[in-house]
Amino acid sequence: MKHLPCLERDGFYESHKLWFPRGFFERALGWFIKPEHFQGVYLERCKAVHSFGMSQTIQLLWVDASGRLLRPPTILKPWRIAFCREAYGVIELIPE
């Protein structure tokens, strides 16, 4: 398991500025309402995500509570579901 820097609430994670959505609606809408100056989304206490309604592919980084990567990055195409039982959270990015 590769160790990654710990997540910081208002900082960067692996050079990507992450948005931390709060509450049910922000989490459910995610990429649809993400402020433009953020490059990714970090969802705490999340073991499953979907890409319903999205037109683009996203990259998922499943992490434990200390910010360690649990598995290689996953590519999630539109209209799909992905999960990781061991995850504490997930980072969603646009693949480069």
Side-chain angles (χ1 to χ4, degrees), residues 30-82:
W31 283 94
F32 296 108
I33 63 168
K34 176 187 71 65
E36 288 187 27
H37 63 280
F38 289 101
Q39 298 170 332
V41 177
Y42 174 66
L43 299 171
E44 291 183 285
R45 298 177 314 275
C46 181
K47 296 178 184 291
V49 296
H50 69 82
S51 58
F52 301 149
M54 294 186 70
S55 60
Q56 61 189 9
T57 298
I58 58 174
Q59 182 179 31
L60 306 175
L61 303 174
W62 299 102
V63 296
D64 66 13
S66 65
R68 294 172 202 236
L69 189 62
L70 295 174
R71 58 170 68 165
T74 304
I75 297 297
L76 185 64
K77 294 181 180 180
W79 298 96
R80 304 285 195 281
I81 298 172

Side-chain angles (χ1 to χ4, degrees), residues 7-11 18-20 22 38 42 44-45 88:
L7 293 168
E8 295 178 359
R9 291 262 174 229
D10 299 313
L18 300 176
W19 177 50
F20 292 78
R22 300 287 176 233
F38 289 101
Y42 174 66
E44 291 183 285
R45 298 177 314 275
Y88 172 77

Side-chain angles (χ1 to χ4, degrees), residues 4-25:
L4 299 176
C6 292
L7 293 168
E8 295 178 359
R9 291 262 174 229
D10 299 313
F12 289 82
Y13 185 84
E14 288 291 301
S15 78
H16 293 281
K17 191 167 185 185
L18 300 176
W19 177 50
F20 292 78
R22 300 287 176 233
F24 175 79
F25 290 107

